[in-house]
Amino acid sequence: MSAALSVWVKGFGLWAPGAADWHAFRDIVTGGATPTATERPMADALPPNERRRAPESVLLAVAVAGQAVHMSGLDAATLPCVFASAHGDQVITDYMCDTLARAPTELSPTRFHNSVHNAPAGYWTIATHCHASSSAISGGEDVFGAGLLEAATLAVADDRDVLLASYDIAGTGPLGDMTSTTGPFAAALVLSPRADGAAIRLDITPEPGNSGSEAMGDPWLDGVAASNPSARSIPLMRALALARPTALRLPAAHGLDLHIDVEVAA
Amino acid sequence: MPHPMPPLAIRAYTATSALGCGLRAHADALAASRGGLSPNNFSVAPLDCWIGRVAGVEEEPLPAGLSDWDCRNNRLAWLALRQDGFTDAVHATRERYGSGRVAVLLGTSTASIGATEEGYRRLDHGRMPADLHRPVLHTPHSLAGFVAAAFELEGPCLTVATACSSSAKVFANAERMIRLGLVDAAIVGGTDSLCDSVLFGFNSLELVSPDPCRPFDARRNGISIGEAAGFAILERVTEPNDAPLLIGYGEASDAHHMSTPHPEGLGAELALRDALARAGIAPGDVDYINLHGTASQKNDEVEAALIARTFPTHTRASSTKGFTGHTLGAAGILETVLTLLAMRDGRVPGNLGANEPDPLCGPQMAWQPETRDIRIALSNSFGFGGNNACLAFAHAGHAA
């Protein structure tokens, strides 16, 4: 049976506690390196003043988006983008709910406009002068699969290269108890409907049922994967880092998995 | 520019807003130019402004089997879903195609954050109180998760949260998935309900009017916030029937500023051109445009200029936010439904609320209601962060 969607991967980006970019992640996964202490994500697509002021969710999303687009060699200004996050900026939501409960008229206008789910998409398109379509989505705990399905669908339907960035930051306060997101993580892919020399193709087919996730057997990978909804992408990102043909399943919704064949050019 | 797309049939649609529950309440209000705004009586310490509040949401708890999802936003969604035979239409769609072949694609800006706010108002030893210890509510995906659960649908399920363009963009998601054969039908739409986050948030940006909003009025002074829910079922056009059609959509980014639109409306114009190209139509083919028209100083200025320079006089245009308030993430679907009603009934809604037309507005503006045949109509939705969407619809039987 042919896959529902086939897309080539032209760029990768990743930030995890212990891996500040895709190259660091690949070096860990392929066995040569150990996770090292990481600092603020390097969102160098943003102008310096924005980078200083931007909330964590924006830094994280823009950092991985920038890595993936840089690797692709494409111009960010022309790329439609899909920013996916289960919970958006939980730190700002915690601040807003706390302030609204105590002194609602003291709500900060800046933090309010940074609270919208499409803040990273807004900052990214402004910084890269991108007038293409931009989206901000959620899919709950299945957000990465939902985002991958949406981005691959957009790439094939409109015959265009598409940027996907999936990010979540650690929760805090009473909200953090509810979201169970204990650490930050983000991953990005530039997906293309054409090979154009790209080495890796994803053949994606939605399939009924949720198979659940299997431990990868690496404490660091399994720990990160369990800490954050966007980190459910780790089995795929690991397969991409290993650059070996693989078949895997990722959840895209309640009762729906994506079957993904990772194909690697010889 | 994109290629023209095959039209999709809008098999069923409905909306609930400050104008009432279901299509008849909305059609009657439009025909009578009767708005639904009222003085703000929402929240513990109501701001001095006007709101578009849906009466009776509080008295509509969810059925027992769905009680984990109970909150104001999902109650409003559930109230809307039970109008106009929509629930039956969803069940019939699921029967016809199977639960895995129907997507749930919904827009919202704040989902059930009202429940999270409530939890913070009455924390129990610093933690979420037991009755709100329901993780499914404290996420932007609460609405789409609820609707998929309520109808036992297991196809793709996506929340689009691009502020005020959210429930317009879901039509684009649906078209792509249906065209590529990933699904056979999609439940699209959205819900946003009144909550402190948006009332005090827009107030902090000094965007809220103390009066009922006056879109495109020379002396407009801000938005009135409303709540609404609306839904539609999209599927391929098969046999000839009386379903209106989605014939195009456009999406584009301003790349300008987080909270003010591009001064020349660049993203809005790109979205409009994209929608016209996918629909395979020219500006002169458009009979009616439901404008974003929020009554904010900047949006209306930019949008008025875009309409004035792009369309002939016979294209009629109006904002309906004077009727409903700005329903944020639900504006796209609510105004889609109002546009479909305008087309169904051959009535251009008057631009309620404006007494002194902004001189920037062109002759396209319908300041009063008009009776005329509407074969092709557009609906504009522009969001925070410079996120723009434009939808194109046609009367049943439109030849692509």
Side-chain angles (χ1 to χ4, degrees):
Chain A
M1 194 182 90
S2 66
L5 297 165
S6 288
V7 286
W8 280 262
V9 186
K10 290 187 172 173
F12 316 97
L14 188 141
W15 193 98
D21 62 21
W22 171 255
H23 300 289
F25 176 76
R26 193 187 54 196
D27 291 347
I28 295 167
V29 166
T30 54
T34 52
T36 51
T38 35
E39 296 174 359
R40 264 160 79 90
M42 187 57 195
D44 48 9
L46 295 179
N49 58 332
E50 295 285 6
R51 212 181 305 158
R52 271 195 307 278
R53 293 189 303 224
E56 186 188 351
S57 59
V58 171
L59 290 177
L60 191 58
V62 168
V64 296
Q67 291 172 33
V69 172
H70 180 74
M71 192 189 296
S72 75
L74 296 167
D75 179 2
T78 64
L79 284 181
C81 51
V82 176
F83 284 84
S85 176
H87 301 294
D89 198 306
Q90 299 183 55
V91 171
I92 295 181
T93 307
D94 174 63
Y95 154 80
M96 295 224 328
C97 291
D98 177 61
T99 303
L100 290 168
R102 292 184 295 103
T105 54
E106 289 173 17
L107 196 69
S108 149
T110 303
R111 298 195 86 179
F112 171 65
H113 88 217
N114 283 339
S115 76
V116 295
H117 201 70
N118 61 320
Y123 282 105
W124 171 261
T125 52
I126 293 166
T128 62
H129 310 289
C130 172
H131 294 287
S133 74
S134 54
S135 196
I137 66 152
S138 178
E141 295 298 302
D142 305 323
V143 66
F144 179 80
L148 178 61
L149 180 60
E150 169 56 17
T153 299
L154 178 57
V156 175
D158 274 7
D159 191 27
R160 291 181 74 164
D161 300 333
V162 171
L163 166 66
L164 167 67
S166 187
Y167 65 96
D168 274 288
I169 66 173
T172 182
L175 176 63
D177 281 350
M178 294 294 101
T179 64
S180 305
T181 310
T182 54
F185 179 86
L189 299 170
V190 174
L191 303 175
S192 175
R194 292 170 303 276
D196 297 337
I200 296 184
R201 189 180 78 228
L202 304 180
D203 290 338
I204 302 169
T205 303
E207 289 186 352
N210 294 128
S211 63
S213 58
E214 278 175 39
M216 287 164 277
D218 175 304
W220 181 71
L221 287 176
D222 286 325
V224 174
S227 71
N228 183 302
S230 289
R232 289 197 177 187
S233 61
I234 282 195
L236 175 63
M237 301 310 281
R238 176 172 173 261
L240 296 174
L242 293 170
R244 283 203 295 258
T246 317
L248 52 89
R249 284 170 76 104
L250 289 179
H254 178 72
L256 186 76
D257 275 353
L258 302 181
H259 176 96
I260 305 171
D261 286 312
V262 179
E263 303 289 348
V264 181
Chain B
M1 272 291 139
H3 300 296
M5 60 170 246
L8 290 178
I10 302 171
R11 185 62 59 203
Y13 58 97
T14 188
T16 288
S17 73
L19 297 179
C21 299
L23 295 179
R24 174 176 282 185
H26 287 80
D28 289 352
L30 291 185
S33 285
R34 185 181 64 241
L37 298 179
S38 56
N40 181 17
N41 59 354
F42 189 88
S43 78
V44 182
L47 292 164
D48 183 19
C49 63
W50 291 59
I51 56 172
R53 181 170 186 165
V54 178
V57 178
E58 301 76 14
E59 285 81 51
E60 299 280 344
L62 301 183
L66 295 168
S67 57
D68 260 11
W69 301 93
D70 197 16
C71 63
R72 183 180 186 84
N73 204 63
N74 288 338
R75 285 183 182 201
L76 177 52
W78 188 240
L79 181 61
L81 286 163
R82 282 176 294 142
Q83 311 300 321
D84 301 307
F86 195 84
T87 303
D88 291 341
V90 176
H91 288 140
T93 302
R94 194 188 62 183
E95 282 299 302
R96 183 168 177 197
Y97 297 117
S99 63
R101 297 289 301 174
V102 181
V104 174
L105 310 168
L106 299 178
T108 184
S109 66
T110 49
S112 47
I113 199 168
T116 314
E117 293 170 5
E118 184 192 338
Y120 274 67
R121 282 197 300 271
R122 48 184 183 85
L123 291 175
D124 182 1
H125 297 89
R127 308 190 68 167
M128 202 61 78
D131 61 308
L132 285 169
H133 211 280
R134 290 179 273 150
V136 292
L137 287 190
H138 305 288
T139 156
H141 196 51
S142 148
L143 168 71
F146 162 63
V147 172
F151 294 106
E152 298 173 332
L153 293 171
E154 295 189 318
C157 179
L158 196 67
T159 296
V160 174
T162 53
C164 310
S165 58
S166 304
S167 63
K169 286 173 75 76
V170 291
F171 284 80
N173 300 99
E175 193 279 333
R176 293 188 282 264
M177 284 189 185
I178 293 173
R179 176 152 48 96
L180 295 185
L182 295 166
V183 294
D184 296 311
I187 315 301
V188 297
T191 304
D192 257 329
S193 48
L194 290 167
C195 60
D196 283 356
S197 296
V198 296
L199 284 163
F200 289 98
F202 281 102
N203 182 64
S204 77
L205 292 171
E206 299 176 345
L207 287 173
V208 178
S209 172
D211 312 309
C213 67
R214 291 175 284 178
F216 300 104
D217 189 292
R219 292 181 300 151
R220 65 183 175 274
N221 58 0
I223 67 174
S224 298
I225 292 170
E227 62 186 350
F231 298 92
I233 301 175
L234 300 181
E235 61 185 20
R236 292 181 195 90
V237 178
T238 45
E239 68 281 5
N241 56 48
D242 60 355
L245 303 169
L246 172 73
I247 59 170
Y249 58 85
E251 302 171 275
S253 308
D254 273 354
H256 175 68
H257 192 271
M258 275 306 290
S259 55
T260 56
H262 188 281
E264 282 90 46
L266 181 56
E269 178 152 10
L270 289 169
L272 168 65
R273 299 281 172 197
D274 190 18
L276 295 174
R278 286 183 203 270
I281 58 174
D285 296 325
V286 177
D287 299 308
Y288 172 61
I289 309 169
N290 186 295
L291 301 171
H292 189 52
T294 59
S296 81
Q297 207 52 253
K298 273 309 208 189
N299 174 80
D300 291 11
E301 178 186 316
V302 167
E303 196 177 18
L306 172 61
I307 300 307
R309 72 174 177 263
T310 309
F311 291 92
T313 303
H314 69 80
T315 299
R316 312 307 296 157
S318 61
S319 162
T320 47
K321 289 196 170 63
F323 286 88
T324 61
H326 188 354
T327 62
L328 307 175
I333 185 65
L334 173 61
E335 290 158 26
T336 287
V337 169
L338 296 177
T339 302
L340 296 176
L341 287 175
M343 205 151 54
R344 184 193 76 178
D345 297 344
R347 278 201 200 105
V348 172
N351 186 88
L352 190 69
N355 301 315
E356 188 184 319
D358 189 321
L360 285 170
C361 292
Q364 302 86 356
M365 288 296 292
W367 300 105
Q368 300 296 327
E370 299 173 8
T371 302
R372 67 168 59 214
D373 197 23
I374 302 173
R375 308 299 297 178
I376 291 181
L378 305 179
S379 177
N380 282 346
S381 298
F382 310 141
F384 243 44
N387 200 294
N388 305 282
C390 176
L391 301 177
F393 302 101
H395 205 276
H398 170 73

